[in-house]
Amino acid sequence: MISDRLFVYGTLMRGFDHPMAKLLSRSADFIGEARCRGRLYLVKHYPGLVLSGDPADIVFGEVYRLRAPDALLREFDMYEACGEGFRPPTEYIRELLPVTLADGSASEAWTYLYNWPVTELPRIASGKFLDR
C-alpha cells in the first residue's frame, strides 16, 4: 500500500504563502506536527533534509494525509524537480521514512530528501526551518 502521508519541513508548511503550500492545504488533511531523524541545511531560501544515523539529529515538520496521493505526489515531484523527465542526480529524491507525531506515535510518510552535497551549506542546527 502506497503511503498517503507526506512529511514537509520547509516552504510547504502552514503559514507559507506559496502556491504549492496552498495546494497542499487544499488537497490534504493536516494530521499534526512531527519529527524525523535527519539534518537540516539551508540550501537557498528553502531547506534540504539529509538522513542521519545520529539519534540526536532531529528535523521538525508537519504530516499531512493526501486525499489523492498518486496525483498529488506527481505534482510535488515536479515542484521538487525530481519527477519524470528530470536528469539524475536530482536535487531532491522522494523516499518513505519513519516519522514521529507529537503524541509519540510512529508513522511512515513520504518526504523529499536533499540529494546534492551539503559541504558548503549552512546547517540549521535547531532542525526547524522557521527558526533559521
Side-chain angles (χ1 to χ4, degrees):
M1 142 65 189
I2 184 166
S3 177
D4 62 353
R5 293 182 172 205
L6 179 67
F7 174 76
V8 297
Y9 54 85
T11 54
L12 294 178
M13 290 192 296
R14 292 173 306 164
F16 278 88
D17 192 32
H18 188 286
M20 293 306 278
K22 289 177 176 170
L23 172 69
L24 181 60
S25 68
R26 271 197 319 272
S27 317
D29 303 307
F30 176 71
I31 293 175
E33 294 184 0
R35 62 188 186 275
C36 72
R37 187 182 293 181
R39 291 185 178 153
L40 205 55
Y41 293 89
L42 188 60
V43 181
K44 289 180 185 144
H45 57 281
Y46 55 87
L49 166 62
V50 176
L51 293 181
S52 167
D54 184 343
D57 291 338
I58 304 288
V59 171
F60 297 88
E62 301 170 346
V63 172
Y64 289 82
R65 182 179 294 109
L66 306 176
R67 294 187 204 125
D70 292 344
L72 281 168
L73 288 169
R74 268 196 304 277
E75 286 277 334
F76 289 119
D77 285 355
M78 296 307 282
Y79 170 63
E80 302 288 0
C82 64
E84 229 171 283
F86 289 96
R87 291 182 50 205
T90 52
E91 187 176 14
Y92 288 89
I93 51 174
R94 176 163 50 89
E95 281 191 13
L96 269 177
L97 83 165
V99 295
T100 305
L101 295 165
D103 65 5
S105 64
S107 181
E108 267 205 333
W110 291 109
T111 197
Y112 290 92
L113 301 176
Y114 191 68
N115 193 37
W116 289 352
V118 294
T119 43
E120 303 296 315
L121 299 178
R123 184 164 172 205
I124 302 171
S126 70
K128 296 179 179 178
F129 178 57
L130 296 173
D131 285 357
R132 71 195 189 288

